[in-house]
Amino acid sequence: MVSAIDYVLNPLLLARYSRALKYFPSDNFNFQWLYHGSSIDKLHNICLKGFYKPGQVSYESYTRNKGYYGYGCYFSNNANYAYHYYADQRSNQILLCRTICGKTRTV
């Protein structure tokens, strides 16, 4: 059940996102609005610092486990799936993120 919807925009992360767009050919963009679910404390950290990537310092200690396909940031086009992804559903939250996916495949 949805209890609240907040709009979060971090100007520093938006600037970093805008800079990243320069590395993608204009005809190869694959933008998607996808959901990411986790605990409220981890999502708060994501809103402040962005997503950690494999290879960054403390990435492995930040993630709970390797996930089904290994370390990485997992997103879904299904809000319900993203919400239930995190085990402790008492503190679940989801983010709706504009992502640059590049080439994707359905598994």
Side-chain angles (χ1 to χ4, degrees), residues 79-90:
N80 191 49
Y81 183 84
Y83 178 80
H84 289 96
Y85 180 78
Y86 188 69
D88 182 5
Q89 295 178 7
R90 293 169 294 169

Side-chain angles (χ1 to χ4, degrees), residues 42 54 59-74 85-87:
K42 287 186 179 177
Y59 176 81
E60 281 73 18
S61 63
Y62 176 76
T63 60
R64 251 180 339 135
N65 55 46
K66 284 186 175 183
Y68 191 78
Y69 298 102
Y71 287 116
C73 299
Y74 288 77
Y85 180 78
Y86 188 69

Side-chain angles (χ1 to χ4, degrees), residues 1-17:
M1 178 166 102
V2 176
S3 60
I5 298 175
D6 295 317
Y7 180 77
V8 177
L9 180 65
N10 181 325
L12 297 175
L13 293 179
L14 182 59
R16 187 167 69 178
Y17 179 86

Side-chain angles (χ1 to χ4, degrees), residues 7-56:
Y7 180 77
V8 177
L9 180 65
N10 181 325
L12 297 175
L13 293 179
L14 182 59
R16 187 167 69 178
Y17 179 86
S18 298
R19 284 191 306 272
L21 293 179
K22 296 175 185 176
Y23 295 100
F24 289 84
S26 60
D27 60 340
N28 248 358
F29 282 137
N30 182 5
F31 291 113
Q32 294 186 34
W33 286 97
L34 298 173
Y35 299 97
H36 177 81
S38 192
S39 65
I40 192 165
D41 58 321
K42 287 186 179 177
L43 291 185
H44 179 71
N45 193 42
I46 290 168
C47 291
L48 290 175
K49 299 178 183 176
F51 288 96
Y52 286 110
K53 299 179 295 193
Q56 283 183 316

